Amino acid sequence: MTHAVAIALLLAAILTETQPMQVQDAESAAVVQAGSGKEDPLSVLASEGRWEDLVDLASERLSRDENDALSLYWNARAEIQRGLPLIGGRAFARDLGRTMLRRAEEQLARVTENPADATSDARNWAAYARYLREDDESLPADLEAWFGESGRGYAAFLRGLIARNQGDAEGARSWLARAVASNPERGDFEVELATELGRAGRTDEAVVAWNAAVSGGLPLPALLAALLEILPGPENSAQRLTLLDSLVVDDTTRRDGLLAWYRSWSLEQLGRPAEGAAALDAATDYRTPELERAHASLLVGLGRRSEAAEHLRTAAEEGDAQALSDLVSLGDWYATNHAWDEALAVYDDSLRIEPRDERAAMNRALAMAQSGRSLDAWLELADRMPGRADILNNAALQLQGWRRDSEARAMLESAALLPGGQDAAQNLADMLLNSYPADPSRALALIEGLNDDAVRDWALYLRHVAHRSNSR
């Protein structure tokens, strides 16, 4: 499981220890001010992700009452939120993030946990901030003591994650098992235990824990990531598919793109790609460029290239560079198989999305020429990029193929003088030797001017021809 997923699980763990996850969503539940019946404004801002506004309001309230528990709590939460993106960065960013996390710890230390409001999990958040810093050597012992005195499942959970990070797999399993025993309703605890059991090869136990995590209402991404740890290889695809199918309980889950992607991958491993494509066809929600590319790849394998092109277009239009490259490659396949109309349509779409894509532009020009349509695309490229020897050389070869030799020669003459013009010089020498009247002396001079570091069999042959012609 990635560090990002682990952090997401930690957030879920902290935010929901007081209630099962299916009752209280991570950031959406607004906390009610004790005795007022009104939602606390700080909680509302947090639920909306307005952390900067939250800091302003909390600071204003703390200026009036420096011991305002809710303001201290939410201000610390904002510091953690702002520190998260920094701790994985370069040294300066990491140090800044750790400073924010220490400040959050100090503020949370001043908060007394109150079951009636948001501060009921203040100690969890303080421990989480210490965990994120990754430089607190006393944290493992403090977590063990905390668990010993209170049996708090979150303390054991964090201790298990630390053991995992230290390479202590047995310790991780032991502490995570204690976390689960303390809070058996917690799907996030169960899924981490399932992951560790899976890594240890204890698949049956891991599946039991994973099913318990499903019952705990854990979000699909975390469940799917854990399942891949438990049943990773092709040999596990049938069992993995059975568990994935158990998650398809209604139209909402059937439309979920990530779940469909996992199912289609498993179906493909089982030799059932058409069913895999059908699963992705039905998935209309949460479609990412990566999913679109995977869908397109599966469709190409099934020979459904026109549909694949649609998915690649969608991803490329969202700025996915790999999807654009795959779309051009699909155009190349059409061109190789002389499906010129389809090839040109794909190239045109690629250039509409990214007009600067040189491969699409050159291959479109090549397809236009080879299909007998026009040389205009090559001439436009040559006009647009007169300093590119490779463009001029390729355009000249197409002109030569259409028996427009005088234009081809003029273009090769220009290209041979440019940096990288060796191919053009060689092709010009070939043209001079095969024209009437031939010009072997000029051809030989061009060949002799080629760099010695380039092994050019055809140039060696042309040198031989030129020498023979000069000796007559």
Side-chain angles (χ1 to χ4, degrees):
M1 182 172 296
T2 66
H3 181 63
V5 172
I7 286 179
L9 290 174
L10 280 168
L11 282 168
I14 294 168
L15 287 160
T16 58
E17 175 146 355
T18 56
Q19 299 182 52
M21 189 170 296
Q22 63 266 32
V23 175
Q24 178 176 319
D25 181 62
E27 287 281 23
S28 63
V31 178
V32 177
Q33 291 181 350
S36 70
K38 297 180 180 179
E39 294 177 352
D40 181 78
L42 294 171
S43 177
V44 173
L45 291 172
S47 70
E48 295 173 353
R50 296 166 58 189
W51 294 102
E52 298 300 326
D53 292 338
L54 185 153
V55 169
D56 290 342
L57 179 57
S59 298
E60 191 272 329
R61 283 169 51 165
L62 286 170
S63 68
R64 297 197 307 268
D65 178 3
E66 65 180 15
N67 295 314
D68 181 346
L70 279 173
S71 295
L72 287 168
Y73 171 86
W74 283 114
N75 203 62
R77 287 279 307 276
E79 292 282 22
I80 293 172
Q81 185 73 20
R82 294 193 295 183
L84 270 171
L86 300 174
I87 56 176
R90 296 181 181 273
F92 176 77
R94 189 163 57 250
D95 290 343
L96 180 59
R98 285 173 174 167
T99 298
M100 291 179 173
L101 293 170
R102 288 191 184 93
R103 193 156 55 225
E105 293 170 43
E106 293 169 1
Q107 291 175 328
L108 289 164
R110 295 167 56 192
V111 176
T112 300
E113 293 187 332
N114 181 359
D117 60 30
T119 63
S120 61
D121 59 2
R123 193 169 181 182
N124 285 12
W125 280 103
Y128 177 53
R130 292 177 66 187
Y131 170 82
L132 287 176
R133 284 200 284 112
E134 297 181 332
D135 61 356
D136 191 334
E137 296 181 357
S138 63
L139 179 58
D142 289 349
L143 290 171
E144 292 175 18
W146 183 17
F147 181 75
E149 73 188 30
S150 68
R152 190 92 167 237
Y154 186 71
F157 177 69
L158 258 191
R159 183 64 185 87
L161 294 184
I162 292 173
R164 171 194 292 173
N165 296 342
Q166 294 174 339
D168 179 9
E170 184 176 350
R173 291 192 298 274
S174 174
W175 280 107
L176 290 171
R178 285 180 239 188
V180 168
S182 297
N183 296 95
E185 77 285 359
R186 292 296 300 270
D188 42 5
F189 294 0
E190 290 278 10
V191 82
E192 292 292 349
L193 177 58
T195 299
E196 286 302 313
L197 290 169
R199 290 174 178 171
R202 294 161 60 175
T203 304
D204 291 343
E205 296 171 76
V207 169
V208 170
W210 185 85
N211 281 319
V214 173
S215 300
L218 202 65
L220 271 176
L223 289 170
L224 296 174
L227 188 58
L228 196 58
E229 294 274 5
I230 297 167
L231 300 168
E235 70 279 5
N236 305 124
S237 53
Q239 186 178 7
R240 187 192 321 120
L241 180 61
T242 298
L243 294 174
L244 290 168
D245 285 346
S246 72
L247 299 176
V248 185
V249 296
D250 53 23
D251 287 341
T252 299
T253 49
R254 190 170 290 105
R255 292 193 303 267
D256 188 280
L258 186 60
L259 177 54
W261 190 358
Y262 274 73
R263 292 180 64 234
S264 72
W265 177 61
S266 299
L267 286 161
E268 189 175 10
Q269 287 183 325
L270 290 168
R272 297 155 59 185
E275 294 176 65
L280 287 173
D281 290 341
T284 56
D285 298 340
Y286 311 116
R287 296 189 67 97
T288 64
E290 294 80 9
L291 186 149
E292 298 290 358
R293 280 193 273 113
H295 196 171
S297 177
L298 190 56
L299 291 170
V300 166
L302 293 169
R304 294 162 56 182
R305 289 181 176 81
S306 61
E307 295 171 72
E310 290 297 328
H311 292 288
L312 291 174
R313 286 187 194 101
T314 297
E317 286 168 349
E318 293 181 24
D320 188 272
Q322 185 58 54
L324 180 63
S325 178
D326 291 348
L327 185 61
V328 176
S329 295
L330 186 57
D332 295 345
W333 184 91
Y334 280 127
T336 300
N337 288 274
H338 296 177
W340 304 115
D341 290 341
E342 292 85 350
L344 291 169
V346 169
Y347 292 141
D348 286 343
D349 281 336
S350 301
L351 291 168
R352 174 182 55 79
I353 296 167
E354 177 47 81
R356 296 169 297 179
D357 192 294
E358 289 187 7
R359 183 161 70 102
M362 285 195 285
N363 291 355
R364 177 182 180 276
L366 187 62
M368 290 281 288
Q370 291 187 341
S371 64
R373 283 167 168 77
S374 171
L375 290 176
D376 290 348
W378 274 119
L379 296 174
E380 289 169 6
L381 278 175
D383 287 341
R384 193 177 356 140
M385 293 182 275
R388 284 282 298 275
D390 57 335
I391 298 291
L392 296 179
N393 177 70
N394 293 341
L397 293 179
Q398 295 303 313
L399 285 164
Q400 192 176 12
W402 281 49
R403 300 184 182 279
R404 293 165 62 172
D405 291 348
S406 60
E407 294 173 81
R409 177 170 175 171
M411 206 168 279
L412 288 173
E413 293 277 8
S414 299
L417 299 174
L418 294 171
Q422 287 189 327
D423 287 341
Q426 179 176 289
N427 290 330
L428 178 57
D430 192 357
M431 176 179 278
L432 292 170
L433 288 171
N434 288 283
S435 61
Y436 184 81
D439 190 348
S441 297
R442 174 83 194 289
L444 184 60
L446 287 165
I447 295 166
E448 296 293 352
L450 296 176
N451 291 341
D452 293 336
D453 59 349
V455 178
R456 295 172 175 271
D457 292 340
W458 189 245
L460 293 175
Y461 170 73
L462 293 177
R463 181 186 286 115
H464 169 71
V465 173
H467 277 300
R468 284 183 56 191
S469 297
N470 273 336
S471 65
R472 291 174 182 171

